[in-house]
Amino acid sequence: MSTSPDATSTSPATDPADDATRDIADVAAVEVITAAAVHLMSAAAVKCGLAEDADAQGHLDLDEARKLITALAALVTTSAPDIGNQHARSLRDGLRSLQLAFREASVVPDAPGDGPGEKFTGSVV
């Protein structure tokens, strides 16, 4: 068995995975949930064509937007009791804005209650 300095070994103090685990352990659940929601919102906004030059750049993709908005609606709706009203209110507002933007961008509108995420939130129209 070789004990040369060239041998690859990671000690717990220098292992990046351990550092990441310690870092995430220090983050409150509400912060993780809201960060995930913000990522979903941002991606959905781009896919709905709300980004600058989204249509010209080919970013408009309502099929993808529908999936993202539905996932966001599920996350916001199910986590609202746990994250508190002050966080949930702003996430609900952003979600509703995305749902309305999706309806505006859609050539063939969904029936009330059938839009993205509306099975979790109810109709937005």
Side-chain angles (χ1 to χ4, degrees), residues 5-99:
D6 296 298
T8 304
S9 102
T10 57
S11 67
T14 61
D15 187 2
D18 285 345
D19 290 341
T21 301
R22 276 192 295 275
D23 289 345
I24 200 73
D26 295 333
V27 179
V30 68
E31 292 180 41
V32 175
I33 293 167
T34 55
V38 168
H39 286 295
L40 288 168
M41 275 186 198
S42 298
V46 170
K47 298 294 184 177
C48 281
L50 298 177
E52 227 175 87
D53 297 329
D55 199 17
Q57 297 294 323
H59 297 302
L60 180 66
D61 186 340
L62 295 181
D63 183 49
E64 289 289 305
R66 180 182 295 278
K67 294 170 190 171
L68 292 163
I69 294 169
T70 300
L72 176 63
L75 177 62
V76 171
T77 303
T78 58
S79 66
D82 297 319
I83 64 174
N85 192 43
Q86 74 179 33
H87 297 287
R89 185 180 318 124
S90 61
L91 294 177
R92 280 190 209 105
D93 290 345
L95 171 59
R96 179 173 167 75
S97 296
L98 285 169
Q99 289 171 312

